[in-house]
């Protein structure tokens, strides 16, 4: 499909091999350029180690790059994901907290693998796989089980083995969402709540929670996302606008790890310009 100027925009939520995507930041940049989009944000889980490659590749392809991250958090019995754009890579408080989270992820994943090993022939080494991966999670366990031939793809492993409540599931350490918002803001970044109506939840994030998070400094809300349940969106759109949150859109691309396609949803250039105005690392 040919895109007009008006359709140009940013895909503000993508994952690479540095977390649980299956493609490199440079491949994402090339694909974003091929789609005719204006630019993209790389938002790997709990790490920014893919930024450099993404930035260089974006420059080569003549598109814009907005540095980002996705942080797993917890709030009022839910586990909201928080996107942080333009954070300073030198902020010690934020990156110390993220290092603790990544270490906890390793312990948690190895405990899950110990449980799974009793029933499936995989090893910890199979799970660690790519040497680029800075954060280890359920997707890496799923990939090892797919490679070993037990399941057809990542989604099937999640549905049958890795869902919360499964005997193989162990939760992971997460920051409080309001605290993560504070850390992102203090690192000069712009916090946006990810997939607020994700269909794996029993309901969309309550407006009362959004109000509390807005008071803590939340700036935006990812209303356009492939996993948001459509019937929950109208109320959320009106309610979040009343609170003053800015809507964004993105694909949450994970390469072959999820059916989400790059550019499935996008964010207007004007919104990204507003984000850049507020951030510590504009490019
Ligand atoms: P973790 O943080 O280790 O608990 O794993 C969460 C990650 O798994 C998120 O990045 C999701 O994108 C991914 N994920 C969750 N559900 C699925 C699914 N059904 N299929 C593929 N990936 C999933
Ligand atoms: Zn992910
Ligand atoms: Fe997420
Ligand atoms: Fe994501």
């Amino acid at each position: 499909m040919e895109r007009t100027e008006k359709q140009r925009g940013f895909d503000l939520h993508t994952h690479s091999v540095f977390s649980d995507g299956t493609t490199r930041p440079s491949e994402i940049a090339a694909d974003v350029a091929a789609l005719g989009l204006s630019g993209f944000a790389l938002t790997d889980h709990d790490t920014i180690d893919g930024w450099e490659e993404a930035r260089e590749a974006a420059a080569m392809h003549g598109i814009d790059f907005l540095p980002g991250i996705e942080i797993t958090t917890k709030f009022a019995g839910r586990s909201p994901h928080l996107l942080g754009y333009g954070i300073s890579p030198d902020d010690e408080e934020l990156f110390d907290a993220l290092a603790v989270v990544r270490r906890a992820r390793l312990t948690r994943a190895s405990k899950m693998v110990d449980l799974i090993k009793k029933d499936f022939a995989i090893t910890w080494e199979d799970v660690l796989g790519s040497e680029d991966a800075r954060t280890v999670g359920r997707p890496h366990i799923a990939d090892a089980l797919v490679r070993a031939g037990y399941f057809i793809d990542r989604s099937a492993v999640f549905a049958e083995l890795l869902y919360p409540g499964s005997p193989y599931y162990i939760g992971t350490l997460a920051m409080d969402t309001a605290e993560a918002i504070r850390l992102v803001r203090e690192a000069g970044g712009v916090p946006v709540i990810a997939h607020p109506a994700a269909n794996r939840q029993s309901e969309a994030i309550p407006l009362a929670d959004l109000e509390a998070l807005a008071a803590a400094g939340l700036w935006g809300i990812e209303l356009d996302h492939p996993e948001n349940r459509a019937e929950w969106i109208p109320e959320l759109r009106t309610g979040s606008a009343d609170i003053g949150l800015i809507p964004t859109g993105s694909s949450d691309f994970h390469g072959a790890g999820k059916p989400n396609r790059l550019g499935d949803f996008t964010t207007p250039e004007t919104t990204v310009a507003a984000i850049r105005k507020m951030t510590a690392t504009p490019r």
Side-chain angles (χ1 to χ4, degrees):
M1 188 184 74
E2 202 177 315
R3 284 173 196 258
T4 65
E5 270 310 292
K6 211 167 150 244
Q7 284 171 315
R8 280 171 61 90
F10 284 71
D11 191 331
L12 283 191
H13 186 163
T14 67
H15 297 269
S16 76
V17 290
F18 285 90
S19 64
D20 58 353
T22 63
T23 59
R24 300 204 61 85
S26 57
E27 298 175 79
I28 299 175
D31 291 347
V32 166
L35 282 172
L37 297 178
S38 329
F40 73 109
L42 183 70
T43 53
D44 276 314
H45 299 279
D46 307 324
T47 182
I48 63 165
D49 284 4
W51 282 9
E52 199 179 324
E53 181 179 320
R55 189 179 276 127
E56 277 174 22
M60 208 176 76
H61 290 285
I63 56 170
D64 276 348
F65 172 64
L66 179 68
I69 194 164
E70 183 175 19
I71 307 173
T72 303
T73 67
K74 60 175 188 319
F75 194 75
R78 306 170 60 93
S79 62
H81 289 183
L82 186 76
L83 299 162
Y85 298 111
I87 48 176
S88 162
D90 304 319
D91 189 89
E92 273 184 32
E93 202 187 352
L94 174 60
F95 287 97
D96 285 353
L98 290 171
V100 171
V101 164
R102 286 197 307 270
R103 270 199 300 278
R105 278 182 163 285
L106 274 174
T107 316
R108 172 261 198 155
S110 78
K111 281 186 189 157
M112 283 185 70
V113 170
D114 285 343
L115 293 174
I116 291 166
K117 269 198 315 211
K118 293 177 183 158
D119 299 321
F120 300 88
I122 59 161
T123 66
W124 179 235
E125 286 67 38
D126 298 337
V127 171
L128 285 177
S130 155
E131 60 189 39
D132 289 308
R134 299 293 191 271
T135 56
V136 179
R138 286 181 287 159
H140 305 88
I141 301 175
D143 289 353
L145 286 158
V146 171
R147 281 195 300 270
Y150 290 109
F151 295 89
I152 186 94
D153 62 15
R154 212 183 254 184
S155 301
V157 197
F158 270 86
E160 292 177 44
L161 223 62
L162 300 180
Y163 57 91
S166 146
Y168 302 103
Y169 180 83
I170 295 174
T172 194
L173 178 76
M175 290 182 233
D176 176 79
T177 314
E179 170 69 359
I181 288 170
R182 184 186 69 78
L183 288 173
V184 166
R185 283 286 191 182
E186 288 193 356
V190 175
V192 172
I193 200 92
H195 41 74
N199 48 25
R200 60 175 172 267
Q201 311 275 352
S202 56
E203 56 167 9
I205 188 164
L207 288 176
D209 289 5
L210 283 179
E211 265 176 67
L213 296 176
L218 184 66
W219 185 79
I221 179 164
E222 196 181 48
L223 287 178
D224 293 322
H225 182 286
E227 286 147 58
N228 280 341
R229 193 178 286 189
E231 67 249 42
W232 291 340
I233 290 300
E235 192 187 337
L236 207 51
R237 194 175 292 281
T238 316
S240 61
D242 288 345
I243 297 167
L245 295 173
I246 307 301
T248 67
S250 26
S251 71
D252 207 352
F253 178 70
H254 279 73
K258 271 192 174 187
N260 313 22
R261 292 162 314 167
L262 205 58
D264 263 352
F265 292 101
T266 56
T267 300
E269 290 177 345
T270 47
T271 305
V272 177
I275 292 174
R276 286 205 198 275
K277 263 195 182 156
M278 290 182 283
T279 60
T281 40
R283 300 277 152 181

